[in-house]
Amino acid sequence: MLVEIDEHGMISHARVRHARSLQIERGKRAGAITGIVVHQTDADTSASSLNSYKRPKANGAHFLIDKDGTIYQTAAIYQRTNHVGPLQAPCLVIPTCTLSDFPEKVGATAMHRIEMRKAPADRYPSNMEAIGIEMVGRARLPEGFKPDSRQKRMSLERLRGDAGVFPTPTAAQNQALSWLVHVLQESMHLAASEVFRHPDVSRKNITEAQGANWTLPIPTP
């Protein structure tokens, strides 16, 4: 299903509402788009995220999917946005390299620098190459949660980021996600293997986008 995408990278389709925020755009991409990264916003409403994208030098992704399945395009596809964070090595998840490629106890920043020396085809997509899709959903601490000694020293927000659990996206969100990913894959010539959950590519809460499903059947018009 090909859709019209203008010269700036804005989708023209009845399912996509334009809510472009220039504050989250970081300039035109230098190379090709090589992947899609799926996130959750850690906010309860789409309005909260859309408002945050209007702040000076805000960070955000290219699309936002509300709980009712409404899709907002918040940045032009051909513009970079900051949504990925420091890259992890694929060998932490799939056997495409060995940990001997990295210094002992390498930190997030060092690992990111090592990964960014590689060609895009040999690593996860970074902000330079990835389209970001956010799904509205806020992490919450599990009922009866008891922090350990390390966590007791954290602020509530940091603790929630460390131990919180993201909700499963709604059925409407996953249907919208499947449609959007399908459209982007066809238009950008991206393979099914080039779609990732945020915690796979960066050091994020492992429950983020855990229930995201972009493989649902797409109804024919």
Side-chain angles (χ1 to χ4, degrees), residues 158-216:
R158 186 179 173 195
L159 178 60
R160 199 172 51 77
D162 185 70
V165 177
F166 279 88
T168 300
T170 67
Q173 281 180 310
N174 276 334
Q175 284 287 351
L177 177 65
S178 294
W179 179 88
L180 180 57
V181 166
H182 179 75
V183 163
L184 293 171
Q185 285 175 326
E186 288 206 348
S187 300
M188 302 287 112
H189 307 291
L190 298 173
S193 60
E194 295 169 326
V195 186
F196 307 94
R197 293 177 175 86
H198 196 193
D200 292 339
V201 303
S202 190
R203 302 188 183 207
K204 298 294 178 180
N205 184 311
I206 61 170
T207 68
E208 183 185 348
Q210 192 170 52
N213 184 356
W214 50 86
T215 64
L216 299 175

Side-chain angles (χ1 to χ4, degrees), residues 94-124:
I94 52 177
T96 58
C97 60
T98 66
L99 286 177
S100 61
D101 294 338
F102 303 99
E104 186 177 0
K105 297 181 180 179
V106 63
T109 300
M111 181 173 284
H112 175 76
R113 288 174 178 165
I114 293 170
E115 288 299 294
M116 290 301 292
R117 296 188 196 119
K118 301 176 182 178
D122 298 327
R123 57 169 169 78
Y124 289 128

Side-chain angles (χ1 to χ4, degrees), residues 31-54:
I33 293 168
T34 63
I36 299 170
V37 178
V38 181
H39 310 251
Q40 281 178 288
T41 60
D42 204 18
D44 285 313
T45 65
S46 60
S48 175
S49 294
L50 291 171
N51 287 334
S52 73
Y53 291 175
K54 297 175 183 177

Side-chain angles (χ1 to χ4, degrees), residues 14-144:
R15 289 200 67 168
V16 180
R17 298 186 183 182
H18 287 186
R20 186 177 180 182
S21 174
L22 299 180
Q23 287 87 339
I24 68 173
E25 295 182 351
R26 296 293 186 270
K28 288 188 176 181
R29 300 180 189 272
I33 293 168
T34 63
I36 299 170
V37 178
V38 181
H39 310 251
Q40 281 178 288
T41 60
D42 204 18
D44 285 313
T45 65
S46 60
S48 175
S49 294
L50 291 171
N51 287 334
S52 73
Y53 291 175
K54 297 175 183 177
R55 297 170 187 162
K57 298 182 180 180
N59 292 328
H62 298 83
F63 296 92
L64 175 67
I65 301 178
D66 207 345
K67 294 177 183 178
D68 65 358
T70 301
I71 302 172
Y72 298 92
Q73 184 168 2
T74 49
I77 289 171
Y78 303 132
Q79 289 277 330
R80 292 181 292 108
T81 72
N82 290 340
H83 62 95
V84 174
L87 293 183
Q88 297 197 97
C91 59
L92 297 177
V93 181
I94 52 177
T96 58
C97 60
T98 66
L99 286 177
S100 61
D101 294 338
F102 303 99
E104 186 177 0
K105 297 181 180 179
V106 63
T109 300
M111 181 173 284
H112 175 76
R113 288 174 178 165
I114 293 170
E115 288 299 294
M116 290 301 292
R117 296 188 196 119
K118 301 176 182 178
D122 298 327
R123 57 169 169 78
Y124 289 128
S126 71
N127 291 325
M128 295 293 294
E129 304 94 15
I131 295 173
I133 302 174
E134 291 272 13
M135 307 175 79
V136 175
R138 182 175 174 82
R140 286 181 166 78
L141 294 174
E143 186 175 351

